[in-house]
Structures are given as C-alpha cells and as structure tokens.
Amino acid sequence: MSLFAWLRPVQPVLDDPQRQRLAGFGAAPVLGDAALGKQRWVVLDLETSGLNVNRDQVLSIGAVVIEDGAIDFSQQFERTLHRHDHKLAPSVLIHGLAPSAIAAGCDPAEALLDLMDFIGDSPLLAFHAGFDQRMLSRALKDSLGYKLQHPFMDVAELAPLLNPDVVMRDAGLDDWVAHFGLLVEERHNASADAQVTAELALILFSQARRQQLDSPKLLEQRLQGWRRKRQHSHGM
C-alpha cells in the first residue's frame, strides 16, 4: 500500500438505504431577504464528551424549530448517540449522560441522517455556534462523509450586537437568560438548552425588527460589521 493511501481519510461504511438518504439531501440554504418571522430556523444544541473540537465526540443532539415567529413544539428533535469507546469523564457532571445511556444510544450515522432530514433547508441557530458548527461538521464527515454547508448564526453574538448598552463580559447563556428574566426549568441537556436558546432568539429577533434588521441577510451583514469592529478594537 502506498503512503498516499495511508494519508487518505477513511470513508465511513454506509448501507444502501443510508447512501440513498444521503444522496437525497438538497443544496445548503443561504441567508436570504425574507422577514425573520417568515424564516424557518432550527435551533441546535450539542452535548459533547469535552471541548476539544479535534478529539471529543458529539454525545447527544437536541433541536427545536422556530417557524412563523414562534417555537413550534410539534417539531422537536432529540437523539443520544451510541459511542462504544466512551468513558466516564468530568463532562458527565455537566451533560448528565451516563456511559450506560451512551452505550444504549442510536447508531451515529442514523441519528445524523435523521438530524439532517429534520434540518432540511433551514439555517441554524446556536449559542456559541462556532463550537457546535465545528463539532457537528466533524461528526457528519466521520459518520457520513458529508460536508456541512448550512449557515449558522450565533445567538451569543446577536445578543450583544442588539443590546450594545448591556455590559456583560464573556456573557454565557445563563447570563442572558437572567438579563431578560426568562423562566428556565431545566438546563444542561441538549433539548432543554436548545429550547432556552430558541426563547432567547425570539426576543432578539423582536429587537432586530425594531432596529430595521428584519431579514437573515441584513442581520448577518450587521454581524459581520460588528465582528470587524471588535477585531479592530482588540487589535489596538
């Protein structure tokens, strides 16, 4: 075997039905000009074995849908992924997933195919979206050989963008939940965190409309400008 064969990534082994499902996925969506309230959004949260995006694994996925300007409780997604090599780690104190639950979880390829069917052609929202995007991208590549191209919008960026007078250093989800007085009965599992993020996103979308940012495209453009200003100020 040649050296180049060793360097090539190992392609996941899928059965015929899985390959057919994968082939049926459409083109990735773009952030368009439709009103925020008309856009279907999928709000995503992942529980992982740790915070290393190159080594740790996705353990569970929770997602809810924002459609017609409200959370659609008839559209919810939750899966725990089977990981045969998962060991008890400090992260279990946060996500609460015991090794027995992970050992009894779904086949990762099936779970991720189900997730992409659920997402469809919708853009994604998450809190600290960069982490979720990288972890999900790697999971899809490893389990399906699929390249994720769906746009993500980060609720952790939208909140300070739309609330410039609120001074909170490195604010997390709990900080913004407390700031807006949201009632949270449960936290730190994927489904509950996705729902809390969706509730926060609805407040932020309402603020965006009042600031004449009533489309995903306009909101992303404003975010890009906000990021550039932050990078410039941090570089000075």
Side-chain angles (χ1 to χ4, degrees):
M1 184 178 292
S2 72
L3 174 62
F4 294 106
W6 283 103
L7 293 175
R8 282 196 295 268
V10 177
Q11 292 298 312
V13 178
L14 304 177
D15 60 28
D16 287 340
Q18 289 172 334
R19 284 195 292 269
Q20 290 171 7
R21 290 181 68 186
L22 190 61
F25 292 162
V30 295
L31 297 174
D33 296 314
L36 291 172
K38 299 296 183 181
Q39 174 68 60
R40 180 184 188 266
W41 302 86
V42 173
V43 187
L44 181 77
D45 187 82
L46 307 178
E47 297 296 338
T48 64
S49 59
L51 299 178
N52 188 314
V53 296
N54 298 312
R55 183 185 64 239
D56 287 307
Q57 295 179 309
V58 175
L59 301 181
S60 71
I61 305 168
V64 298
V65 168
I66 293 175
E67 194 162 23
D68 296 326
I71 300 172
D72 183 350
F73 290 101
S74 70
Q75 300 185 68
Q76 299 188 59
F77 182 93
E78 184 173 13
R79 296 287 189 281
T80 297
L81 279 60
H82 171 77
R83 300 296 189 187
H84 70 278
D85 55 350
H86 178 68
K87 297 178 177 62
L88 191 65
S91 60
V92 74
L93 298 174
I94 298 175
H95 57 61
L97 292 167
S100 58
I102 296 166
C106 304
D107 170 61
E110 287 293 328
L112 291 164
L113 285 166
D114 290 345
L115 174 66
M116 296 312 296
D117 280 335
F118 180 82
I119 293 172
D121 61 355
S122 298
L124 295 157
L125 288 165
F127 197 93
H128 291 150
F131 176 78
D132 292 86
Q133 185 174 18
R134 292 177 69 182
M135 290 297 294
L136 180 58
S137 294
R138 204 183 101 232
L140 288 164
K141 181 180 178 182
D142 291 348
S143 293
L144 299 176
Y146 178 78
K147 184 178 180 180
L148 180 68
Q149 298 184 26
H150 286 59
F152 271 73
M153 193 169 285
D154 193 350
V155 177
E157 292 183 328
L158 287 177
L161 165 72
L162 298 169
N163 295 273
D165 296 331
V166 176
V167 180
M168 286 195 288
R169 186 177 177 83
D170 299 323
L173 182 56
D174 288 328
D175 297 308
W176 287 106
V177 163
H179 173 76
F180 287 112
L182 292 173
L183 179 63
V184 178
E185 296 181 357
E186 188 177 5
R187 277 277 279 112
H188 300 302
N189 69 63
S191 294
D193 286 357
Q195 181 171 327
V196 172
T197 302
E199 292 174 4
L200 176 58
L202 287 174
I203 293 173
L204 297 173
F205 285 165
S206 178
Q207 292 181 326
R209 284 191 290 272
R210 292 197 295 270
Q211 297 177 37
Q212 286 75 53
L213 298 171
D214 192 19
S215 77
K217 185 177 180 180
L218 282 173
L219 204 48
E220 177 59 26
Q221 289 173 347
R222 183 64 63 86
L223 267 175
Q224 290 174 1
W226 178 83
R227 292 186 195 112
R228 286 193 295 269
K229 287 181 181 179
R230 280 172 56 88
Q231 290 170 357
H232 179 71
S233 64
H234 290 166
M236 294 181 66

